[in-house]
Amino acid sequence: MAETTNQPAPSRTVPKKKSPTREWFDSIIFAVVAATLIRWLFMEAFTIPTPSMEKSLLVGDFLFVSKLHYGTRTPRTILQLPLTHQKIWGTDLPSYSDAIQLPYYRLPGFTHVKSGDVVVFNVPPKELNDNVDRPSDLKTNYIKRCIGTPGDVLEVRDRQVILNGKPMENPPKMQDEYFLKTAETISEKVFRRYDITDFENYTETYNDTIQSNDVAGYIIKTTPETAALLKEQDFVKDLQVIKDQPGQKGFGVYPDSPLFKWNKDYYGPLTVPKKGVTIPLDEKNIALYGNVIQKYEDNKNVELTPMSVKMDGKDITSYTFKMDYYFMMGDNRHNSLDSRFWGFVPEDHIVGKAVFIWMSIDPNPESVFTKIRWKRLFRIIE
């Protein structure tokens, strides 16, 4: 019979129990990592701070913006505090360093930016980014409606967008600016009754078509449907749309060139740059596309004059675009700082598609009971 010996059982290492502080720390780290990945890959929350998209989107609307529709951008600025954009919360300190910049790349999406889409993007001009030359993925976020896609020919003619020779369908709640003449002073309550939130008391003559014997006058932003309804009211003496005239150069309109006497109501025609398309660099094309070549195409040592373009000291007479571009406009057409004033949006500045409103808070409610706009919650954005 074989002998047996009693061997001691192998000792087991009992894992050390985490302290409550360590558990909290691990949970916070996990939450930050998860939120960062969701925010980068899938969806990000935004809020509407200005009235440039009213009445389609209101100041105080909270949106979810899909990154998946057009494809998620891989990060270009990798030295950045998680869940920040430009600054550290509550300070004026930058939350990033641009010492390392990765090339632009976008993961495949299941659609492309189309005319009519409501799009969030990083606004390109340095002047609209606190005059700071930020990386493209950390520029200020804007939200507008895409009007023109790469290769489109667009024009604004008497406030109507003409796309590739055909009138584009207007947004259902597009607003224009009107001069309202009344026989009496109108209270804010009356304007609210007609869903007019953007108005200004203007009792003096506005232009030569307005008579000087007005009792009261207001500049308002509203939809054509509401304007038609106002005209039927007894307290309204007259209601006229305020618009620029053809051939009149608008203040601050893109491009800043005497060759183009365009304004916000009569603009174009112009062609939206498309990747792979080659253009001759004549005087007009330099005015239209020179800043694109210099600022957004990753070209080095570009020198511009009104009549020439130089790269690395050599004159070039034609140029082939490296990226696609887009033309954006706000639905509040007379109160929107958009592509009519600063130009095209490069494809690497596109953030995502606005898909739905999950919360809406009125910044100037009539009462505490109307602070939340209940009818706007979980509304699909059109």
Side-chain angles (χ1 to χ4, degrees):
M1 179 179 294
E3 293 185 4
T4 60
T5 57
N6 293 325
Q7 298 290 336
S11 60
R12 294 183 179 178
T13 302
V14 178
K16 187 178 179 180
K17 187 176 181 180
K18 294 181 181 179
S19 67
T21 302
R22 177 62 184 276
E23 288 185 351
W24 272 104
F25 180 77
D26 289 349
S27 297
I28 291 173
I29 292 297
F30 175 80
V32 169
V33 171
T36 301
L37 288 175
I38 291 172
R39 183 173 180 256
W40 166 57
L41 279 172
F42 303 108
M43 195 165 288
E44 187 173 354
F46 290 86
T47 185
I48 301 296
T50 68
S52 68
M53 286 293 290
E54 291 198 7
K55 293 294 183 195
S56 304
L57 297 173
L58 307 182
V59 173
D61 280 350
F62 290 80
L63 321 175
F64 277 132
V65 174
S66 167
K67 305 291 184 72
L68 296 177
H69 277 74
Y70 308 138
T72 301
R73 292 183 301 181
T74 58
R76 300 194 72 175
T77 308
I78 60 174
L79 301 179
Q80 180 186 3
L81 289 178
L83 304 180
T84 62
H85 183 55
Q86 296 172 344
K87 299 177 181 179
I88 297 174
W89 312 283
T91 74
D92 287 327
L93 300 174
S95 62
Y96 67 93
S97 169
D98 58 3
I100 300 177
Q101 289 286 292
L102 299 181
Y104 162 69
Y105 182 74
R106 189 179 294 273
L107 300 177
F110 51 83
T111 187
H112 299 284
V113 181
K114 299 185 293 294
S115 295
D117 285 357
V118 178
V119 181
V120 172
F121 56 92
N122 303 115
V123 67
K126 179 180 178 180
E127 296 75 21
L128 298 179
N129 285 276
D130 303 321
N131 217 29
V132 177
D133 195 12
R134 296 190 174 102
S136 61
D137 56 342
L138 288 176
K139 293 181 179 180
T140 301
N141 293 310
Y142 269 35
I143 183 167
K144 308 288 181 188
R145 192 177 297 276
C146 178
I147 301 299
T149 58
D152 283 343
V153 178
L154 66 89
E155 180 181 2
V156 181
R157 191 184 305 159
D158 193 11
R159 299 171 292 125
Q160 174 64 53
V161 173
I162 309 297
L163 189 63
N164 299 320
K166 298 179 180 180
M168 182 179 177
E169 183 178 356
N170 290 325
K173 296 184 178 180
M174 186 183 79
Q175 291 196 141
D176 287 314
E177 188 173 49
Y178 296 85
F179 188 88
L180 172 65
K181 293 196 296 182
T182 70
E184 58 192 52
T185 302
I186 301 177
S187 68
E188 180 178 349
K189 187 176 182 180
V190 173
F191 281 120
R192 277 188 170 271
R193 185 188 308 159
Y194 292 95
D195 197 24
I196 298 172
T197 54
D198 192 347
F199 60 90
E200 177 187 356
N201 193 330
Y202 196 91
T203 56
E204 298 180 357
T205 302
Y206 185 77
N207 59 31
D208 293 340
T209 64
I210 306 295
Q211 299 301 315
S212 60
N213 59 352
D214 300 328
V215 174
Y218 297 87
I219 298 175
I220 65 173
K221 311 286 195 311
T222 191
T223 64
E225 292 77 15
T226 300
L229 181 62
L230 281 171
K231 284 184 176 181
E232 300 175 357
Q233 308 309 308
D234 293 337
F235 65 86
V236 175
K237 296 177 64 177
D238 192 18
L239 187 66
Q240 301 178 24
V241 67
I242 300 172
K243 62 181 180 179
D244 293 337
Q245 300 302 313
Q248 172 186 340
K249 177 65 174 178
F251 176 76
V253 170
Y254 179 89
D256 183 16
S257 169
L259 298 174
F260 303 94
K261 297 187 182 301
W262 298 346
N263 54 60
K264 63 181 182 298
D265 298 320
Y266 289 88
Y267 190 92
L270 85 166
T271 302
V272 183
K274 183 177 182 179
K275 182 178 179 179
V277 170
T278 301
I279 59 169
L281 291 178
D282 55 25
E283 186 179 9
K284 287 190 174 182
N285 279 345
I286 291 173
L288 285 172
Y289 308 111
N291 76 316
V292 170
I293 298 170
Q294 185 180 50
K295 297 178 180 178
Y296 307 130
E297 293 265 295
D298 287 331
N299 295 315
K300 307 298 182 185
N301 303 319
V302 177
E303 300 175 45
L304 293 179
T305 72
M307 299 298 294
S308 68
V309 180
K310 288 185 177 182
M311 285 191 185
D312 295 322
K314 297 180 181 179
D315 286 314
I316 59 173
T317 58
S318 63
Y319 183 79
T320 303
F321 292 109
K322 300 177 183 179
M323 279 198 295
D324 286 330
Y325 290 80
Y326 301 88
F327 195 93
M328 307 288 184
M329 287 175 60
D331 289 358
N332 195 358
R333 293 290 165 83
H334 284 154
N335 192 14
S336 175
L337 184 60
D338 52 39
S339 287
R340 293 170 294 176
F341 300 93
W342 42 255
F344 308 102
V345 178
E347 65 176 83
D348 65 347
H349 286 53
I350 299 293
V351 175
K353 181 178 182 180
V355 287
F356 72 93
I357 301 167
W358 63 273
M359 174 58 73
S360 184
I361 297 177
D362 190 342
N364 299 297
E366 291 185 90
S367 71
V368 67
F369 302 105
T370 58
K371 183 70 174 177
I372 297 178
R373 305 184 184 108
W374 297 102
K375 292 183 179 180
R376 296 189 63 79
L377 270 58
F378 305 109
R379 175 180 293 189
I380 300 296
I381 295 173
E382 299 176 339

